[in-house]
Amino acid sequence: MFTDKSRSRGTDAPGAGLSLEGIAKHYGSVRAVDDVSLTIEPGQFVTLLGASGSGKTTLLRVIAGFLEPSAGRVLIDGRDVTAVPVHRRNIGMVFQSYALFPHLSVARNIAFPLAMRGMRKAERRELVTQALESVHLPGYEDRMPAQLSGGQRQRVALARAIVSRPSLLLMDEPLGALDRRLREVLQVEILKLSRELGLTVVNVTHDQEEAFTMSDRIALLADGKLVQYASPEEIYTRPVSDVAAGFLGEANLLRGVLTRAADGRLTLPAQDGHVEIDAATAVRSAPDAGDEVVVVVRPWSVGVERLGRDGAEPGAPCWLRGRLSAVIYAGDSQKLIVERPDGSEVVVRRSMDGQFEAAPGEEVLLTWSSRDAVVTTAG
Amino acid sequence: MTSPETGRRLRRPDFWTLAGLPGLLFVLLAFGVPMVTIVVRSLTDPSPENFQFLFTDELFRRSLLRTVYVALLVTGLSVLLGYPYAYAMARSGPVLRTWLMGALLLSFWTSLLVRTFAWGVLLSNTGVVNDLLLDLGVIDQPLPLIRNLFAVLVGMVHVLVPFAILAIYASLRGVDAELEQAAQVMGARPARAFWHVTLPLSMPGVAAGAVLVFVLSLGFYLTPALLGGPADILVSQSIVLQVQQYLDPGVGSAMAVVLLALVLAFLAIASKVVGLGRILGVTGKEGTS
Amino acid sequence: MRAGLFVRVFGLVFAAILIIPTVVVTATAFTEGSIITFPPQGMSWRWFEEVLTDPVWTGAIRTSLTVGVLAAVIAVLVGTSLALAAARSGLLPSSLVVAVGMTPMVVPLVVVAIGVYFVYVRIGLYGGILSLALAHAVLGVPFVLVNVLAALRSLDPHVEEAARACGAGPVRTLLRVTVPQILPAALIGGLFAFITSWDEVVVAIFLNTPTLRTLPVVIWGQVRSGLEPSTSAVATILTVVSLVVFALTAAISSRRSRSRRVH
């Protein structure tokens, strides 16, 4: 208890640890956040990822202290701060709208948290200069916020959020208002900066690419519930449900009830196709016949070829037939959309150097290895 | 920790409620108390018979009717004269618009007393207008332009027409000029485009301006007192007479209660048609052109 | 679509009628003669000199300025307090707070005047300069409320949240972040409130004593007893002060919109 406290108070302390225990926020009968528990280690970069209305912003506001949870506790470095008001939580925060103080110069914006902590003017100046250098805006002290571009404003906002070395840096869609190029540049800069300073960061976004690039761990939220809390790689390769699979990266979802073939293999019935299951790829318990499952096949794992004229059944363990309905060129890769006889679509990605040439309307055969698919459940 | 939020709210007013308390307290003391005092005095000084007296008093009944009549006339004139002015402002080049807005604001910011005083100078028997007409030989006797209803109407419309103009102008600016063009492209002549597109769409502004002018007219004192004749006094003048000349604050209070009730009742009805925010919002915008 | 020729000519003629009273009063103030004539005879500052050396007029000017400034300051504080509650209180309905603050605008001045007069006589506040300022402040509150409320509603709520996250408590956030942002609007409202007091006659008549006469009250007395060019001169001074205040509000609001436009 005492050691925790001293660590969060020291100015040079790296980021704090954060624990959420059974956080819930209800508005009448609406459960904006529903029983979320997770732990963030000191220095970790965690992204709350979800669609709008998933509760990610509400959760961030509970962590910041702008909202009082209906149930549960927020612990920073083991200390229960649920009842501590925002301004005593020692946090830094970055907003999508930048939220700079329009009546204060850049220097006074950045010095604001220092002034609030009772620091003397001379000391403030030095820290402000350092902070501006760390966000690559040296010499901007005397500008007013209205004179800055969007990217510059967000850099100032970032400098203001980190200048007091908060135990926790919270970011609410910080890059949402910026164009794509600038977003990518700032993603890298924010990540580098937070690593150098050892900050614990909680970032909110609906942009899966941003979540992938920046996060140590991603907390995937849907309808107020925590769907999965894991590293980006794990969520991608072992999504706990179809929701998780659909949110992180493109995915083809094949649904059905497993049956056991005569030779003992598990298969998913498919019209005009054959889908075998590798039990080792199951995310939860070992699957069995009669289980309702979702098989996740990533577009990059699917091979495609022109259908042979003879119409013979292919020997591959996993295959589907369909009609090529669209070929989309996306930079260095090619995206094929294949329409199945039942009307569903399968997406295939392939690099541009392949020899396959096909025109929309042609019948094609899709194949993949059962080891590259993931067996999960509907969430 | 999980105590219901509603219970907590009631026990601990939030910061912003506390911030508003001094303001509320001030208005209640400095404004609410005087209003209540008037009501109390109308009923107790000496008794509620004050009202009985009012309703049997022929003079008061006539001044009440005259007040409403004048207010209606002023409202009608303000809208009729204000609409084309607002239209000229909304649909003209920057030069003409600047001149029109400048004249409007110059007039608006000149004190009501000064403007009324000026109309006295202009309209009196030895005033500018009569002098001019006499010099030109149009008339050989000064026209009775002052101390009558005509002068009151001129003075009141002059003071109140800016409110109508600003309200109508705001709504005309909101009507997309391209809508009119679209109507014309579809074959409507300009007059038809105006009648079927612009006028209906600007009606909220007309209504807001009319309500504001009417309400303000009901309470006018200065202009009728300076420009009107002794025979046709309005309710505000009757109230002042009762309190200052006849030293009968009870009857004066009863009259004030009737006037106040008239104003509030009208506003309550009008607010069903036009949002109060729209009516009163005009006042906050004079400075912006 | 451009307004037709007839409408434009009407606009110009009516614009002339709108400003004629102001022009006439100003012109007659510069006459050399001792009666009000238009056009004025000659051109002289004599009546302005007379007014500015007459202790009755200068006293009234001083009283008017004092009452106006006091009323404006009180109106700014009260109107801002109401606007804060109207915009953000979790307890008081916004429409109720706005109604309370706006009512003084629609109540006839005569009714306000006799009500305040009764109360002041009863509790012994009659005749004080602060008492008159209090009554005038009530009349200025709606202007402050409207302006500040609009400013508050256009603020980015995240700016204040950012201040909280930076370690500022609610009071420091209010004083160092919210108030500076709504200051221009409060100033404009305050200038309106000043002019409301500066021009107000009816309440000032009811509360006037021989030692407490505002400029409009003295003008009122003159206008009723007989017209003199000195009245025109005072009326001109009254108008010039109003126009200066108007220019100030215009300057503040254009500065505000300019700083917003830069993006």
Side-chain angles (χ1 to χ4, degrees):
Chain A
M1 189 65 201
F2 287 113
T3 49
D4 282 348
K5 224 173 189 175
S6 65
R7 230 178 65 178
S8 67
R9 287 291 155 88
T11 33
D12 292 317
L18 174 73
S19 298
L20 304 180
E21 296 181 352
I23 295 293
K25 181 69 188 172
H26 303 162
Y27 294 101
S29 61
V30 179
R31 288 156 188 266
V33 174
D34 196 2
D35 193 21
V36 170
S37 297
L38 55 84
T39 300
I40 299 175
E41 301 297 329
Q44 268 192 336
F45 194 117
V46 171
T47 295
L48 309 181
L49 179 66
S52 64
S54 61
K56 57 188 191 301
T57 297
T58 308
L59 188 58
L60 189 78
R61 295 174 67 77
V62 168
I63 297 172
F66 292 122
L67 290 175
E68 216 175 308
S70 312
R73 302 198 303 162
V74 179
L75 294 100
I76 297 180
D77 269 345
R79 190 167 71 103
D80 185 347
V81 297
T82 318
V84 174
V86 183
H87 59 286
R88 298 217 187 88
R89 288 196 186 188
N90 191 28
I91 56 172
M93 193 149 176
V94 179
F95 298 85
Q96 181 176 358
S97 65
Y98 322 124
L100 297 179
F101 308 128
H103 58 293
L104 299 180
S105 66
V106 166
R108 294 188 61 196
N109 259 282
I110 299 174
F112 193 86
L114 303 174
M116 292 302 118
R117 285 163 175 79
M119 188 180 283
R120 261 188 253 106
K121 274 215 170 117
E123 286 176 81
R124 280 188 229 161
R125 195 170 307 141
E126 192 169 325
L127 286 176
V128 168
T129 312
Q130 278 178 19
L132 273 174
E133 271 164 15
S134 66
V135 296
H136 306 297
L137 285 177
Y140 275 68
E141 280 87 348
D142 296 328
R143 302 279 185 99
M144 293 304 283
Q147 298 169 307
L148 303 177
S149 70
Q152 289 171 333
R153 286 184 207 186
Q154 200 54 295
R155 287 192 159 104
V156 174
L158 186 63
R160 182 180 65 182
I162 60 165
V163 71
S164 63
R165 297 294 154 87
S167 49
L168 209 53
L169 175 61
L170 308 178
M171 302 198 288
D172 188 4
E173 308 228 14
L175 307 175
L178 304 175
D179 65 57
R180 194 188 166 86
R181 282 181 79 93
L182 201 52
R183 215 155 56 208
E184 282 167 4
V185 172
L186 273 167
Q187 278 171 13
V188 176
E189 281 183 23
I190 290 174
L191 196 58
K192 266 179 72 181
L193 194 59
S194 71
R195 291 266 188 269
E196 276 165 23
L197 300 175
L199 293 171
T200 307
V201 184
V202 184
N203 179 41
V204 160
T205 189
H206 62 263
D207 179 348
Q208 46 147 317
E209 239 172 87
E210 182 183 318
F212 244 128
T213 323
M214 301 178 82
S215 321
D216 295 317
R217 306 193 84 185
I218 292 173
L220 195 58
L221 291 155
D223 296 327
K225 291 196 179 69
L226 185 62
V227 176
Q228 191 168 11
Y229 179 49
S231 70
E233 296 75 20
E234 189 173 348
I235 295 185
Y236 186 78
T237 54
R238 301 183 64 78
V240 294
S241 70
D242 54 344
V243 176
F247 217 98
L248 227 60
E250 283 177 304
N252 295 301
L253 305 177
L254 310 173
R255 297 163 198 276
V257 177
L258 292 178
T259 56
R260 197 172 285 280
D263 57 1
R265 297 184 197 183
L266 283 171
T267 57
L268 190 73
Q271 188 192 351
D272 261 343
H274 181 77
V275 179
E276 272 183 27
I277 297 302
D278 183 345
T281 66
V283 173
R284 289 186 176 158
S285 55
D288 203 352
D291 286 355
E292 206 178 317
V293 298
V294 179
V295 177
V296 182
V297 188
R298 297 291 178 184
W300 279 105
S301 313
V302 183
V304 58
E305 59 192 85
R306 247 195 220 97
L307 200 60
R309 269 169 218 282
D310 52 3
E313 297 259 312
C318 301
W319 60 269
L320 293 171
R321 255 202 304 254
R323 180 196 302 270
L324 186 63
S325 64
V327 180
I328 298 158
Y329 293 92
D332 48 2
S333 72
Q334 201 181 31
K335 180 175 172 179
L336 310 177
I337 296 174
V338 176
E339 196 182 317
R340 298 261 297 128
D342 61 3
S344 64
E345 283 179 346
V346 175
V347 176
V348 181
R349 285 250 182 206
R350 48 199 313 283
S351 58
M352 299 285 281
D353 51 1
Q355 271 85 53
F356 175 74
E357 291 285 336
E362 286 189 63
E363 295 287 322
V364 292
L365 179 70
L366 307 171
T367 57
W368 68 91
S369 158
S370 62
R371 271 173 309 158
D372 292 336
V374 180
V375 180
T376 182
T377 51
Chain B
M1 187 59 260
T2 50
S3 70
E5 223 163 308
T6 45
R8 179 169 285 197
R9 272 260 161 91
L10 286 178
R11 259 180 283 135
R12 193 184 61 194
D14 57 287
F15 181 75
W16 302 111
T17 306
L18 293 175
L21 287 183
L24 283 173
L25 197 67
F26 176 86
V27 175
L28 288 183
L29 285 179
F31 182 72
V33 170
M35 293 303 108
V36 172
T37 304
I38 290 175
V39 175
V40 169
R41 279 195 97 146
S42 73
L43 295 170
T44 60
D45 188 7
S47 73
E49 276 170 30
N50 289 328
F51 286 100
Q52 222 163 3
F53 167 76
L54 283 193
F55 292 121
T56 52
D57 181 28
E58 183 61 23
L59 281 175
F60 177 72
R61 216 173 52 211
R62 288 203 358 223
S63 85
L64 190 62
L65 284 176
R66 194 179 301 117
T67 304
V68 175
Y69 171 65
V70 167
L72 284 173
L73 276 179
V74 169
T75 307
L77 285 169
S78 295
V79 169
L80 282 179
L81 296 168
Y83 197 99
Y85 196 89
Y87 191 83
M89 268 203 310
R91 300 279 188 275
S92 60
V95 178
L96 183 61
R97 174 179 307 162
T98 306
W99 278 101
L100 295 181
M101 186 55 100
L104 183 71
L105 291 176
L106 179 65
S107 168
F108 199 82
W109 280 79
T110 304
S111 106
L112 194 158
L113 178 62
V114 171
R115 280 185 281 168
T116 307
F117 159 58
W119 282 114
V121 171
L122 283 163
L123 299 177
S124 75
N125 285 355
T126 57
V128 176
V129 174
N130 270 320
D131 279 356
L132 194 70
L133 294 178
L134 285 169
D135 286 352
L136 291 175
V138 179
I139 51 174
D140 44 35
Q141 285 246 323
L143 290 174
L145 297 176
I146 200 169
R147 301 248 150 252
N148 54 28
L149 195 61
F150 170 76
V152 173
L153 286 179
V154 169
M156 283 178 69
V157 169
H158 185 256
V159 168
L160 290 170
V161 77
F163 291 96
I165 294 175
L166 288 171
I168 296 167
Y169 176 66
S171 74
L172 277 173
R173 288 266 301 228
V175 177
D176 196 343
E178 282 175 21
L179 269 179
E180 288 172 28
Q181 284 162 3
Q184 287 183 54
V185 168
M186 287 183 267
R189 276 178 287 115
R192 277 179 68 97
F194 175 80
W195 277 108
H196 292 283
V197 178
T198 314
L199 190 63
L201 286 174
S202 62
M203 279 323 274
V206 172
V211 170
L212 187 62
V213 169
F214 186 76
V215 165
L216 294 177
S217 306
L218 288 177
F220 250 55
Y221 170 74
L222 210 68
T223 309
L226 282 180
L227 301 178
D232 32 38
I233 62 168
L234 303 183
V235 173
S236 328
Q237 292 167 277
S238 308
I239 295 172
V240 174
L241 276 179
Q242 288 294 338
V243 176
Q244 283 198 329
Q245 307 284 312
Y246 310 151
L247 301 176
D248 193 342
V251 172
S253 298
M255 289 175 168
V257 169
V258 172
L259 179 61
L260 194 56
L262 191 66
V263 167
L264 295 181
F266 175 74
L267 270 181
I269 296 166
S271 67
K272 304 264 183 242
V273 187
V274 202
L276 275 187
R278 184 161 199 138
I279 299 168
L280 301 174
V282 179
T283 54
K285 291 187 200 141
E286 292 114 335
T288 62
S289 53
Chain C
M1 184 167 70
R2 296 265 312 232
L5 181 66
F6 177 76
V7 173
R8 280 185 282 158
V9 170
F10 168 86
L12 278 175
V13 170
F14 200 64
I17 293 174
L18 279 177
I19 60 171
I20 273 178
T22 312
V23 171
V24 165
V25 166
T26 311
T28 55
F30 288 94
T31 189
E32 280 173 1
S34 48
I35 52 161
I36 291 182
T37 48
F38 187 87
Q41 305 170 318
M43 153 78 208
S44 89
W45 290 91
R46 115 172 222 219
W47 294 105
F48 286 94
E49 279 171 38
E50 189 143 311
V51 164
L52 292 175
T53 51
D54 182 342
V56 173
W57 286 118
T58 52
I61 291 175
R62 211 174 302 123
T63 305
S64 267
L65 285 175
T66 313
V67 171
V69 170
L70 283 174
V73 170
I74 298 167
V76 165
L77 295 175
V78 172
T80 304
S81 158
L82 290 175
L84 288 172
R88 290 162 175 196
S89 170
L91 203 64
L92 304 163
S94 174
S95 55
L96 175 79
V97 180
V98 172
V100 167
M102 294 306 285
T103 318
M105 225 191 112
V106 295
V107 173
L109 276 175
V110 168
V111 178
V112 178
I114 64 166
V116 171
Y117 171 71
F118 291 156
V119 172
Y120 280 4
V121 169
R122 175 75 53 90
I123 63 175
L125 277 177
Y126 180 74
I129 196 163
L130 185 63
S131 315
L132 178 54
L134 287 176
H136 275 176
V138 171
L139 303 177
V141 165
F143 299 104
V144 181
L145 175 57
V146 164
N147 275 292
V148 175
L149 188 57
L152 276 173
R153 287 190 170 144
S154 70
L155 288 187
D156 175 1
H158 288 148
V159 172
E160 284 157 72
E161 287 178 0
R164 300 295 310 278
C166 284
V171 176
R172 280 208 282 188
T173 302
L174 174 67
L175 295 179
R176 299 183 65 153
V177 174
T178 316
V179 167
Q181 290 185 88
I182 57 174
L183 203 58
L187 263 178
I188 290 176
L191 290 169
F192 275 86
F194 173 82
I195 286 301
T196 304
S197 165
W198 178 252
D199 284 346
E200 203 285 326
V201 192
V202 184
V203 176
I205 290 172
F206 267 86
L207 299 183
N208 97 83
T209 65
T211 53
L212 182 68
R213 283 206 179 123
T214 62
L215 210 48
V217 172
V218 182
I219 296 178
W220 169 261
Q222 287 234 335
V223 169
R224 301 200 103 190
S225 58
L227 298 178
E228 259 188 64
S230 63
T231 318
S232 292
V234 176
T236 304
I237 293 171
L238 203 67
T239 304
V240 167
V241 170
S242 297
L243 291 178
V244 167
V245 170
F246 165 64
L248 278 177
T249 65
I252 294 171
S253 65
S254 84
R255 226 188 109 182
R256 185 169 47 155
S257 60
R258 203 177 327 130
S259 73
R260 280 215 187 122
R261 221 176 299 134
V262 182
H263 189 71

